[in-house]
């Protein structure tokens, strides 16, 4: 066997610039996030999700007329082919909901009237359908899970309101819509996150948008990415009381375990999205169980900061906020996916607009000169 040359490992592509983008910028050193040049604080709580999606896709905030047309186009597309509803019904009990969402999204590609087309016009129509239908799938999964019928969107409601209505089966109150709308805005895009990169790799081969969104959903599922928010809730429930935080977190850290909802590849300081979500969870403390979760969260934050010097990321307070809205924890990552679909589509469109196959190089650290041994002579 030839000797192997060992070089220092290259792991996780940290710091590698893998492409140019105008969509969003994560300034990890200063804890800032920009969407199309607008600082997050300029937009969060001021724009609706539809406005932000328009900005991410078309590079400018819409005027009133553009927004109205875009929002109603989105609402009109929040409907599912009956076959997708059947797929949801056929899923075995306890199927992971991100697996189900990914499967439905993949299947939607077969029912899309523009399936197989990658022209700009087809992609414009598909962008809206995919965004609207991803939300409709998640709402439908919940309706069927609680034994209720799948609802159609209301033409009188915006995206966030329609989602909550189609998910819970009742008209949501104003505060819930406001908070959920902002939650979607905060999750909408984040530089070259693993799922956005994965989506870009897929479309760079000229596979279509449904394939790329399926890839992105598969990538978001993992607990080092979007799957962390469900785990945060599990942890908060396990801790149960503020007085149990100290021991629980100390044990986790001394066992070398990662505290879910903390740390980030890009941010060396506080994640600016978590600042907004902390504020919202504080605003909702009067809701059942939220004061306890908020107190536990505050203590965890303080301790992880003191012992590890790391900050909460978007998934930490997102768990409490979603819980306060009445969303079951199994759906948290799906909600992240609904919001991030805007960013994925923006990346897909940007990639299509100036495509070149993404095909990096690996550093070969294996051996050379091996001699073939026939099977009956091998040990
Ligand atoms: C997000 C994440 C995957 C980034 O990973 P990364 O850039 O590869 O960073 P690493 O995993 O190499 O961590 C660097 C150091 O910080 C520590 N660290 C990072 N996140 C940590 C966490 N959540 N809890 C405890 N320690 C953590 C690591 O143990 C490591 O310490 P060491 O150098 O002493 O070994 C990582 O912080 C993590 O696993 N967080 C928990 C999952 C999560 O919340 N994901 C959602 C991200 S939005």
């Amino acid at each position: 066997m030839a000797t192997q040359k060992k070089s220092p490992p290259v792991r996780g592509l940290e710091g590698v610039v893998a492409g140019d983008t105008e969509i969003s910028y994560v300034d990890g050193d200063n804890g800032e996030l920009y969407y199309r040049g607008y600082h997050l604080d300029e937009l969060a709580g001021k724009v609706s999700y539809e406005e932000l999606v328009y900005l991410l896709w078309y590079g400018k905030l819409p005027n009133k007329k553009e927004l109205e047309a875009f929002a109603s186009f989105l609402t009109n597309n929040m409907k599912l082919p009956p076959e997708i509803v059947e797929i949801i019904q056929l899923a075995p009990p306890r199927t992971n909901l991100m697996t189900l969402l990914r499967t439905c999204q993949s299947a939607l590609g077969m029912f899309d009237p523009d399936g197989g087309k990658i022209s700009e016009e087809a992609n414009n129509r598909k962008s809206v359908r995919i965004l609207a239908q991803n939300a409709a799938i998640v709402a439908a999964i919940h309706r069927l899970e609680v034994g209720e019928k799948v609802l159609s969107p209301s033409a009188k409601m915006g995206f966030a309101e329609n989602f909550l209505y189609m998910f819970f089966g009742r008209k949501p109150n104003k505060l819930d819509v406001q908070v959920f709308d902002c939650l979607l805005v905060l999750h909408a895009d984040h530089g070259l996150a693993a799922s956005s990169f994965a989506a870009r790799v897929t479309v760079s081969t000229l596979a279509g948008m449904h394939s790329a969104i399926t890839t992105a959903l598969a990538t978001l599922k993992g607990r080092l990415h979007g799957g962390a928010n469900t785990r945060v809730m599990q942890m908060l429930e396990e801790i149960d009381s503020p007085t149990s935080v100290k021991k629980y977190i100390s044990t986790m850290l001394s066992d070398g375990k990662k505290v879910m909802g903390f740390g980030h590849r890009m941010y060396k300081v506080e994640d600016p999205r978590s600042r907004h979500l902390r504020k919202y969870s504080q605003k909702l403390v009067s809701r059942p169980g939220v004061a306890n979760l908020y107190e536990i969260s505050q203590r965890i934050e303080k301790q992880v900061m003191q012992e590890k010097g790391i900050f909460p990321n978007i998934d930490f307070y997102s768990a409490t906020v979603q819980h306060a809205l009445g969303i079951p924890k199994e759906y948290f990552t799906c909600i992240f996916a609904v919001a991030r679909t805007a960013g994925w589509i923006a990346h897909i469109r940007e990639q299509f607009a100036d495509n070149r196959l993404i095909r990096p190089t690996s550093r070969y650290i294996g051996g050379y000169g091996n001699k073939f041994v026939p099977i009956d002579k091998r040990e």
Side-chain angles (χ1 to χ4, degrees):
M1 188 70 76
T3 48
Q4 296 197 351
K5 277 190 209 153
K6 291 277 180 214
S7 322
V10 176
R11 298 177 69 233
L13 298 182
E14 181 165 358
V16 172
V17 176
D20 292 337
T21 185
E22 293 181 1
I23 303 165
S24 64
Y25 172 54
V26 181
D27 177 353
D29 292 335
N30 297 304
E32 317 284 6
L33 172 61
Y34 295 84
Y35 289 147
R36 293 269 183 197
Y38 291 90
H39 193 284
L40 180 68
D41 297 347
E42 274 293 304
L43 301 172
K46 295 178 200 156
V47 291
S48 65
Y49 181 64
E50 295 93 312
E51 271 175 281
L52 187 82
V53 175
Y54 193 100
L55 172 68
L56 293 178
W57 292 1
Y58 305 114
K60 73 171 201 84
L61 284 168
N63 62 33
K64 224 166 165 236
K65 207 169 144 211
E66 288 163 336
L67 179 61
E68 272 168 20
F70 185 66
S72 75
F73 194 20
L74 257 183
T75 303
N76 290 339
N77 279 285
M78 288 176 100
K79 283 184 204 134
L80 296 174
E83 293 86 350
I84 300 299
V85 176
E86 265 180 65
I87 292 175
I88 299 173
Q89 285 164 327
L90 287 172
R94 290 181 296 283
T95 298
N96 178 288
L97 300 185
M98 281 298 285
T99 302
L100 186 51
L101 174 59
R102 188 198 66 217
T103 304
C104 291
Q105 180 55 238
S106 177
L108 264 177
M110 298 186 290
F111 299 100
D112 195 286
D114 287 307
K117 295 185 200 151
I118 55 168
S119 66
E120 198 181 331
E121 298 72 35
N123 280 344
N124 277 336
R125 292 187 292 270
K126 283 203 265 189
S127 300
V128 169
R129 270 199 293 272
I130 289 173
L131 185 74
Q133 289 177 330
N134 246 358
I137 294 168
V138 178
I141 296 173
H142 184 247
R143 294 297 289 161
L144 294 170
E145 190 196 344
V146 297
E148 298 288 347
K149 68 177 201 320
V150 173
L151 295 175
S152 297
S154 158
K156 292 189 195 126
M157 299 179 189
F159 188 85
E161 188 174 10
N162 251 317
F163 177 81
L164 293 175
Y165 161 68
M166 291 166 70
F167 188 90
F168 290 115
R170 58 175 184 272
K171 192 174 158 44
N173 71 44
K174 227 171 143 192
L175 179 61
D176 283 15
V177 176
Q178 194 194 355
V179 172
F180 189 68
D181 210 5
C182 190
L183 183 105
L184 294 177
V185 166
L186 295 172
H187 283 81
D189 194 52
H190 205 235
L192 206 52
S195 52
S196 305
F197 181 56
R200 290 187 82 128
V201 171
T202 301
V203 283
S204 82
T205 70
L206 298 185
M209 289 186 106
H210 286 89
S211 302
I213 297 291
T214 306
T215 305
L217 286 164
T219 311
L220 186 76
K221 181 182 172 218
R223 66 175 178 274
L224 296 188
H225 194 359
N229 51 17
T230 300
R231 306 274 175 149
V232 168
M233 196 64 212
Q234 278 165 353
M235 171 177 77
L236 298 178
E237 285 173 350
E238 256 173 54
I239 293 177
D240 190 42
S241 151
T243 52
S244 311
V245 169
K246 198 155 185 37
K247 192 165 166 230
Y248 185 98
I249 296 296
S250 296
T251 309
M252 266 192 103
L253 294 178
S254 59
D255 287 351
K257 290 192 183 143
K258 292 230 175 117
V259 183
M260 289 292 119
F262 281 82
H264 201 279
R265 174 66 61 81
M266 301 295 290
Y267 293 116
K268 304 301 165 222
V269 293
E270 188 179 42
D271 178 336
R273 302 165 301 172
S274 115
R275 211 167 46 231
H276 286 273
L277 289 166
R278 187 193 294 104
K279 192 184 75 193
Y280 280 119
S281 49
Q282 201 174 12
K283 203 169 171 176
L284 297 168
V285 285
S286 59
R287 302 263 171 111
V290 176
N292 191 44
L293 290 183
Y294 185 68
E295 175 65 24
I296 294 174
S297 302
Q298 291 268 286
R299 289 192 188 203
I300 298 175
E301 188 178 348
K302 201 165 159 215
Q303 191 175 344
V304 176
M305 252 315 286
Q306 274 168 358
E307 292 188 27
K308 286 293 285 191
I310 50 179
F311 296 86
N313 57 48
I314 188 164
D315 292 311
F316 191 60
Y317 283 103
S318 154
T320 304
V321 171
Q322 293 199 53
H323 173 83
L325 294 174
I327 298 167
K329 62 176 178 298
E330 294 74 20
Y331 287 84
F332 288 3
T333 312
C334 293
I335 304 287
F336 188 156
V338 166
R340 183 57 62 84
T341 303
W344 292 332
I345 291 174
H347 281 277
I348 290 168
R349 296 167 68 97
E350 194 176 56
Q351 184 66 37
F352 266 131
D354 183 25
N355 186 53
R356 188 162 187 232
L357 176 74
I358 298 175
R359 202 299 186 194
T361 306
S362 53
R363 187 168 59 189
Y364 178 65
I365 56 165
Y368 301 89
N370 292 347
K371 296 285 178 232
F372 177 75
V373 180
I375 194 157
D376 54 346
K377 301 248 168 63
R378 289 179 211 156
E379 289 176 4

